[in-house]
Amino acid sequence: MTTKSEIIVATDGLTKRLGGRTVVNGVNLAIGRGDIYGFLGPNGAGKTTTIRMLLGLARPTSGHIRIFDKDIRKERLAILRKVGSLVEYPSYYGHLNATENLEAVRRLLGAPKSRIDEVLAIVRLTQEARRPVKGFSLGMKQRLGIATALLGNPELLVLDEPTNGLDPAGIQEIRELIKSLPRTSGVTILISSHLLSEVEQMATRVGIIAKGELIYQDGIERLREQAQGRIRLGVSDPEAAWQLLLSYGYPAEWDRTKLTVGQADDRTIAGIVSRLVQSDFQVYRVEEEHASLESIFLQMTGSEASL
Amino acid sequence: MFRSEWLKIRRSVLWLIAAVSPLIASLFGLFGLRLQEGEFPWTETLSLMSVLHAMLFLPLLTGIFAALVCRYEHNGGGWKAMLAMPVSRTQIYVVKFAVVMGLLALTQALLLIALIAVGLSRGFDDPIPWRMLLTSFGGGWIACLPLAALQLFVSIALQSFAAPLAINVILTLPNIMIVNSARYAPYDPWAQPMLAMLPRDSMSYAALNLSAESLYLVVLGSFCVFFAAGWRYFVRKAV
Ligand SMILES: Nc1ncnc2c1ncn2[C@@H]1O[C@H](COP(=O)(O)OP(=O)(O)OP(=O)(O)O)[C@@H](O)[C@H]1O
Ligand SMILES: [Mg+2]
């Protein structure tokens, strides 16, 4: 599917049955090098389960996983050496301070000592480095979790709902943080979320999973196209205006509350407006109406639009 | 890997706990001894100081240590993070086990030091019987192998901190009764530390008259079974 270079993460018919239910069903992920892959799905869709399998924490019931073109079952350690991860919620040793937490992980990874200060600076925890982590706020713990994931200079960064449980400011902060991660080094990021809006601004590619099945996987632009706006016209007597516009061949729609025109360039809009004015309609408003990605997402995942 | 574990346990209650049993035993040794002429003061002291330790504290400590080295992983969701590191599960398991045994070795060493200190402070005439003491303390330590293996298994499998300890207590308490039984004691792994530690001819517990070979067979046999089971479970565990 990706026309881009190298595929870093590829799964083939990935399936997991848990407690008699198929929670991940035939998922074929394809993540290219340098992608920021937004892995989206509502609660319970199977995101975490998929990610646990990618990290070798759980075994697939069937299907294959290749990361860096290596089979996870055969070369798990070689793969994990180049992967940094944060699954579900950050893990930490509460009685240790931030530096010691990172040091415990650093000793497992064999990363250089200087890297600890680097990652602390990246997540802006340098000031708090000497405090026991059990006194950290959730946002600080999340940031420490991201710092831990970055410690080994990973080529693939897997972040499972890194904004879980954060307030809007915290979410914003984490988002900025992820965006600010050095993109030059060609690091690939898989970030899961149940909110499209959260990854929309940073993802280059999106996979949507619902009820264990991957129902969409493509570049973010494709999703945006589907979400492209319509032009809404506020006029006197819209129903009559609608009939007028139709008679001139404009793609107008009237749903008894509002009059809209589908994708139209500037000249078409100008033509419509002058036609309406000439026919003595009063034009109050001409405004662009964005179908949000969220509503498309809801349509796809089949959730209630009224949420 | 060891150094990473060390960092985690460095500042924890483990150290206090390790010192408790030797302290209690010292009190026993200092105030409980009524020596009569012509006895073997060292043997006597060893029996006195190690009986409670070997019967109860050592098996209980094994469970506590095993639970504690797993606690940090259970608490903060650390298993997930740890197992997503480029470290093999076998290595993690072996290191955790080694840490438990290391802590037990420390406890044994502390008790040995306490014993010698008590002996010296009371001015025993006989020279320190190193051979007997080392056999006793080393044997007690080796006898903890199967217990440590089983407790590590249980501690890894159970999320809760208290459950493995409860299991441990339930398995340890029968020691008080079983030690008099030549029939059952040799086959109860929880009774082994005591059988291994108490000086052979000092007390009239029936089970003490058994040969060392059969004890070690039980110890090593049950150790292999427990360790293999725990290891196999851990390697396949989904987190
Ligand atoms: N150990 C388990 N046994 C049985 N079912 C499980 C188990 N773990 C997860 N599930 C089920 O699998 C489904 C997918 O769970 P998963 O955690 O992957 O969802 P998710 O997409 O990460 O959701 P969320 O957005 O809430 O994190 C859920 O319906 C959950 O109930
Ligand atoms: Mg999840």
Side-chain angles (χ1 to χ4, degrees):
Chain A
M1 284 267 279
T2 4
T3 48
K4 258 178 275 161
S5 55
E6 195 184 340
I7 300 288
I8 294 283
V9 179
T11 70
D12 174 24
L14 191 62
T15 300
K16 179 76 178 176
R17 265 188 284 281
L18 276 173
R21 288 193 315 125
T22 308
V23 295
V24 174
N25 194 359
V27 165
N28 302 318
L29 291 179
I31 306 177
R33 184 178 289 281
D35 277 346
I36 299 184
Y37 188 97
F39 190 38
L40 299 167
N43 291 135
K47 303 181 295 291
T48 302
T49 308
T50 305
I51 286 172
R52 281 165 62 224
M53 288 190 284
L54 291 181
L55 295 172
L57 295 175
R59 282 158 211 263
T61 308
S62 64
H64 301 281
I65 299 171
R66 293 188 74 77
I67 300 178
F68 306 122
D69 210 26
K70 294 184 175 106
D71 190 323
I72 187 86
R73 280 173 309 179
K74 296 189 189 111
E75 299 177 75
R76 193 173 66 93
L77 296 187
I79 292 171
L80 291 181
R81 246 183 282 282
K82 297 196 276 180
V83 177
S85 60
L86 169 59
V87 181
E88 264 183 329
Y89 46 87
S91 69
Y92 55 88
Y93 303 108
H95 63 302
L96 302 180
N97 68 35
T99 309
E100 288 164 338
N101 264 277
L102 291 168
E103 175 65 16
V105 173
R106 189 197 69 81
R107 289 181 181 180
L108 295 182
L109 292 172
K113 255 200 151 81
S114 58
R115 186 72 186 146
I116 290 183
D117 290 334
E118 284 171 36
V119 293
L120 280 173
I122 293 175
V123 300
R124 293 198 301 283
L125 277 179
T126 313
Q127 303 293 324
E128 321 286 342
R130 303 273 160 210
R131 270 176 52 191
V133 174
K134 58 174 170 255
F136 275 21
S137 74
L138 190 57
M140 287 160 71
K141 284 176 189 162
Q142 291 282 13
R143 270 157 39 201
L144 179 62
I146 293 176
T148 311
L150 290 171
L151 198 57
N153 250 320
E155 284 178 38
L156 173 65
L157 192 58
V158 178
L159 303 173
D160 185 22
E161 308 210 26
T163 53
N164 215 345
L166 297 188
D167 60 16
I171 292 176
Q172 179 67 21
E173 194 179 357
I174 298 284
R175 191 190 293 153
E176 292 303 321
L177 175 65
I178 292 166
K179 271 203 278 190
S180 73
L181 291 180
R183 303 291 303 126
T184 43
S185 50
V187 58
T188 307
I189 302 177
L190 167 61
I191 175 169
S192 87
S193 173
H194 54 267
L195 287 176
L196 178 57
S197 56
E198 203 171 277
V199 298
E200 185 184 345
Q201 297 156 37
M202 51 188 174
T204 56
R205 240 169 109 70
V206 174
I208 298 179
I209 187 171
K211 299 191 182 78
E213 297 189 30
L214 195 66
I215 53 176
Y216 177 91
Q217 177 171 253
D218 209 334
I220 187 91
E221 305 82 20
R222 282 280 307 281
L223 210 54
R224 287 224 175 86
E225 272 164 32
Q226 297 194 31
Q228 208 157 59
R230 300 179 64 79
I231 303 295
R232 176 178 171 179
L233 300 169
V235 295
S236 55
D237 197 0
E239 191 164 356
W242 169 57
Q243 275 159 1
L244 175 82
L245 291 179
L246 283 183
S247 69
Y248 283 99
Y250 292 112
E253 274 175 38
W254 167 244
D255 67 358
R256 296 190 178 280
T257 56
K258 60 188 182 198
L259 177 64
T260 57
V261 195
Q263 297 170 25
D265 57 19
D266 290 352
R267 281 187 50 190
T268 317
I269 298 298
I272 287 173
V273 172
S274 71
R275 184 68 64 198
L276 287 170
V277 172
Q278 281 166 25
S279 312
D280 284 339
F281 286 98
Q282 298 187 35
V283 179
Y284 311 129
R285 283 196 165 72
V286 180
E287 58 194 2
E288 192 144 13
E289 205 184 47
H290 271 294
S292 72
L293 286 180
E294 222 70 72
S295 65
I296 293 180
F297 177 53
L298 284 177
Q299 264 172 28
M300 280 186 183
T301 56
S303 309
E304 294 294 1
S306 62
L307 273 178
Chain B
M1 174 88 213
F2 267 114
R3 297 178 50 236
S4 175
E5 286 298 308
W6 165 246
L7 200 61
K8 284 181 240 166
I9 61 174
R10 199 177 55 183
R11 274 200 259 120
S12 81
V13 288
L14 281 170
W15 309 112
L16 265 176
I17 295 171
V20 163
S21 179
L23 273 177
I24 293 177
S26 310
L27 294 178
F28 262 67
L30 279 175
F31 302 112
L33 269 183
R34 301 159 284 115
L35 289 181
Q36 284 130 35
E37 290 304 311
E39 286 192 60
F40 303 99
W42 284 110
T43 315
E44 189 94 340
T45 314
L46 171 60
S47 308
L48 188 70
M49 285 180 68
S50 63
V51 64
L52 198 61
H53 172 75
M55 191 194 292
L56 286 179
F57 289 143
L58 198 53
L60 291 179
L61 277 177
T62 310
I64 293 174
F65 289 153
L68 278 175
V69 298
C70 295
R71 193 172 71 131
Y72 297 121
E73 270 68 33
H74 280 313
N75 263 4
W79 287 122
K80 259 186 309 215
M82 192 172 206
L83 297 180
M85 293 281 157
V87 186
S88 84
R89 292 190 177 201
T90 303
Q91 196 184 346
I92 293 174
Y93 191 76
V94 170
V95 167
K96 290 270 183 208
F97 184 77
V99 170
V100 173
M101 289 312 292
L103 289 164
L104 287 171
L106 176 79
T107 309
Q108 293 290 79
L110 287 176
L111 185 65
L112 181 57
I113 291 169
L115 172 70
I116 290 171
V118 167
L120 292 180
S121 75
R122 311 200 106 218
F124 291 159
D125 292 332
D126 305 12
I128 300 172
W130 286 111
R131 205 183 135 75
M132 179 186 77
L133 292 182
L134 291 180
T135 315
S136 163
F137 283 86
W141 183 69
I142 290 174
C144 284
L145 282 170
L147 278 62
L150 186 78
Q151 283 301 319
L152 187 61
F153 181 5
V154 175
S155 298
I156 285 175
L158 300 177
Q159 180 91 41
S160 116
F161 182 65
L165 294 184
I167 292 175
N168 190 30
V169 170
I170 291 167
L171 290 170
T172 303
L173 287 181
N175 269 356
I176 299 167
M177 266 96 71
I178 214 169
V179 70
N180 266 315
S181 153
R183 273 256 314 271
Y184 301 116
Y187 305 106
D188 176 6
W190 275 259
Q192 302 304 322
M194 182 167 45
L195 301 188
M197 272 196 90
L198 291 186
R200 291 206 163 261
D201 36 49
S202 71
M203 288 197 178
S204 52
Y205 289 132
L208 286 178
N209 300 322
L210 283 144
S211 74
E213 292 78 45
S214 77
L215 294 187
Y216 284 115
L217 211 65
V218 172
V219 166
L220 292 181
S222 52
F223 165 63
C224 289
V225 171
F226 293 155
F227 189 84
W231 169 76
R232 200 182 130 85
Y233 170 80
F234 185 61
V235 166
R236 305 168 139 250
K237 182 180 165 78
V239 293

